Amino acid sequence: MPLTIPNVLTLLRLAVIPIVLGLFYLPWPHAHQAAAVLFAIAAITDWFDGWLARQLGQTSKFGAFLDPVADKLLVAVSLVMLLHDAETVGGRSGLLSLLVAVIIGREITISALREWMAELGARTSVAVGMVGKVKTGFQMTAIWMMLWAEPIFGLPIYSLGFGLLFVAAALTVYSMVVYLRAAWPFMREDHQLKP
């Protein structure tokens, strides 16, 4: 495993996940805000490590594998935390359950699709596009706001984050349709698997 700066950032993002989880449940008045700050730092490294890898010429197969894993784990764990806490913070657990199911379900579907396409030697047909990047931006911002929960300058941060999560879920469904349409010709035709 090449221990480059981008890979170290990705590994640190993975290491932050249990800390965010622990902070979120601490019986401390500002525990949610501390978890939100750490989540935001981790989310920024999600963009920064890929950019840094390209700038420094330090892209690697290990980094290409680990980066989306760290991203998906951070998002999934945070969404489950928010869902568990929904009744006490926002009182919208039913609707939040649907959004969480859509977002996590999409990630599982697309991960499986990419793996299957890689077996066919056509992984680039379902590469991350601009819609996926925009979806990630909305998703990370929404989760950060919902983790923070407390109003800022009178703005209902949790409710605004909840609204952004709707946008993220809609983009999630749209991006999944885009990826599935790109893969559909491979599903219909009889392709030989690579030996």
Side-chain angles (χ1 to χ4, degrees):
M1 172 187 78
L3 204 58
T4 61
I5 295 171
N7 285 348
V8 168
L9 286 174
T10 303
L11 289 168
L12 286 173
R13 191 158 77 253
L14 278 171
V16 156
I17 295 170
I19 300 170
V20 169
L21 183 64
L23 281 172
F24 189 78
Y25 289 110
L26 272 179
W28 177 49
H30 302 291
H32 283 199
Q33 289 74 44
V37 168
L38 204 51
F39 175 88
I41 292 167
I44 289 165
T45 68
D46 179 37
W47 173 81
F48 191 62
D49 60 7
W51 177 83
L52 203 57
R54 289 185 296 276
Q55 292 300 311
L56 299 175
Q58 294 181 343
T59 56
S60 67
K61 290 180 181 177
F62 177 75
F65 157 74
L66 195 63
D67 183 63
V69 170
D71 172 39
K72 287 167 180 43
L73 282 175
L74 179 65
V75 167
V77 168
S78 298
L79 285 172
V80 170
M81 285 185 332
L82 288 168
L83 185 57
H84 180 264
D85 205 47
E87 282 303 322
T88 56
V89 177
R92 304 168 179 162
S93 61
L95 196 49
L96 185 57
S97 297
L98 177 63
L99 297 177
V100 169
V102 165
I103 291 168
I104 293 177
R106 180 265 188 198
E107 297 302 342
I108 293 168
T109 302
I110 297 306
S111 293
L113 180 67
R114 285 190 178 127
E115 183 180 339
W116 179 73
M117 293 294 284
E119 287 182 12
L120 297 177
R123 179 141 172 34
T124 55
S125 299
V126 286
V128 177
M130 185 50 70
V131 175
K133 291 177 182 179
V134 171
K135 178 268 304 177
T136 299
F138 273 99
Q139 193 170 263
M140 294 297 200
T141 304
I143 292 170
W144 172 80
M145 293 173 87
M146 292 174 75
L147 287 172
W148 185 271
E150 293 296 317
I152 298 176
F153 301 119
L155 292 172
I157 294 299
Y158 185 90
S159 295
L160 291 172
F162 196 81
L164 286 180
L165 199 63
F166 262 100
V167 176
L171 288 170
T172 288
V173 171
Y174 177 72
S175 66
M176 183 173 70
V177 169
V178 169
Y179 291 133
L180 289 172
R181 284 183 65 191
W184 184 247
F186 296 91
M187 293 179 185
R188 292 178 52 203
E189 297 170 14
D190 185 22
H191 283 272
Q192 293 288 328
L193 292 177
K194 292 176 81 176

